[in-house]
Amino acid sequence: MKILVVEDDQFHASFLQGVIAEALPEVTETLHVQDGLQGEAAARAGRFEAVVMDLQMARRNGIEAARTIWHERPRTRILFWSNYSDEAYLRGVADIVPAHSAYGYVLKTASRERLKLVLRAVLLEGQVMMDREIQRLRRRSASPRHSLSQSEYAVLLDLALGLQDRLIAERQGLSLRTVQNRLLTLYDKLGVNGEEQALPGLNKRVRALSRAISTRTLNLERLETAQHDLECWLAARPADEKAPPTQGADGAL
Amino acid sequence: MKILVVEDDQFHASFLQGVIAEALPEVTETLHVQDGLQGEAAARAGRFEAVVMDLQMARRNGIEAARTIWHERPRTRILFWSNYSDEAYLRGVADIVPAHSAYGYVLKTASRERLKLVLRAVLLEGQVMMDREIQRLRRRSASPRHSLSQSEYAVLLDLALGLQDRLIAERQGLSLRTVQNRLLTLYDKLGVNGEEQALPGLNKRVRALSRAISTRTLNLERLETAQHDLECWLAARPADEKAPPTQGADGAL
DNA sequence: GACCAAACTGCGGGAACCCGCAGCATTTGT
DNA sequence: ACAAATGCTGCGGGTTCCCGCAGTTTGGTC
């Protein structure tokens, strides 16, 4: 069994390798690389079936790297291992995991024993497994009032990228008014309206993004992958729609 | 000599303590705490004159903790030690360091030797010292075109918090139009206008925040302290101004 | 089918925003 | 001392945004 470790912190990497050696004696080869880009290349070249992936790395973050890897080899088992339990990471992972894939999510603060357990469960047995705290967060964010639905989150991402209503509508295949309705519920669920009445004079749109970040509903990594998605979508979009029915500013006067 | 270590990662903390023992034999007592809040309390109780402070911690981040500590004992020598060289951290530190204080900024990727050097220079000799890479970033961000002036950055923070123009103007003591001019130059320097012409349909205001975060001009920690500042300012503000010349929505009818 | 709830859509208006234009104040260079 | 440069400000208009109101579709229950 071959295993790939993608982790940019040397201390965590060496600790992890120690635990792997102890928990998985059936490992014959481990490769350690320092960032997402190298991780993708190594996975491609080495045909690893098991990966331990840090999120939050330079050059390419763990979620994007995992997406690439899964895109090329959907059966790969990936254990995400991170310092933080941001909702943004959970949604990011949930968005890219292929059907029937084995994966897991552990916090770096987990005990050595728990880490060993999860390593075996996910990488060897092919289970799906999450840290306790992650499970708790997941349950909470599936709760009633404050949690965002799939489509609301998608609109939030578009908002965060700075698209205006019209473009969001186009991208999500909704009417303009519906997008605005979504935004309303977003403002509600993110607590913007609540603050607004205490302090009038907020730009709700910006405040929504601000709060999404403060509450870790969004983070830098998620924003990066969303930006990447946007660029792909833009490239694939037929060029006609780029010019809304305003006077043409390209070509003839 | 007593030294306080504020660091939430156990591996980094133990590595650091090893290096301290080696580099600073004159240390008689080291205390290690796990987050900013404990750090403030420990500094208050223990009267440490030397602190090594991680940024990016739970509960209270390193910059806020340092501000509190310096506020109470301005002579304290603080060495910031972080994984990242975000511009946001640099500005955050620069904003709170008192005159004539000794401080430093090292990256966690620095070599053991360099770390020892900086430890001695800052905590023992009272020098001001930065990591090479930090220096480079600092020089670059003092450059002409793309860097933000002090006041522009202040406006960016207010924008990021979701204030609308009128409130920003009030807070910065500027006219409305001037604030909008600042925003224009912000859009320019953050590259929003450049993108706009490639892809019309951006909400510049949100996009500015989005880019500020992508480029690490802003980050979660800086946003948190800005939010904290805002709340203080709101509390200190005379209540009259809260109601702009709209029909009063408080009290009568 | 009757009914209801929830989501979606169009309309319209008031507020906020983006920004060109032009007038003043201070600073700086020669 | 004059001029050019830079920063601050008011005015006006075109656009986007926020959102109440009302009408339509969807999906489910009785």
Side-chain angles (χ1 to χ4, degrees), chain B residues 36-63:
Chain B
L37 217 49
Q38 294 175 35
E40 290 176 6
R44 191 172 303 129
R47 310 174 150 274
F48 292 87
E49 65 260 32
V51 179
V52 180
M53 176 80 72
D54 189 18
L55 308 171
Q56 200 174 111
M57 292 173 297
R59 300 216 347 224
R60 181 149 321 172
N61 65 59
I63 291 186

Side-chain angles (χ1 to χ4, degrees), chain A residues 162-209:
Chain A
L163 305 188
Q164 50 184 212
D165 297 0
R166 185 165 31 85
L167 259 188
I168 302 180
E170 182 187 338
R171 189 152 180 233
Q172 304 288 333
L174 301 173
S175 88
L176 213 135
R177 191 61 182 89
T178 303
V179 169
Q180 295 173 338
N181 276 335
R182 285 248 199 294
L183 291 177
L184 286 192
T185 75
L186 270 180
Y187 299 155
D188 249 353
K189 293 189 176 176
L190 290 171
V192 176
N193 284 326
E195 297 176 314
E196 169 77 15
Q197 75 180 37
L199 164 67
L202 288 182
N203 181 313
K204 303 202 171 185
R205 213 176 172 85
V206 178
R207 186 63 186 172
L209 172 52

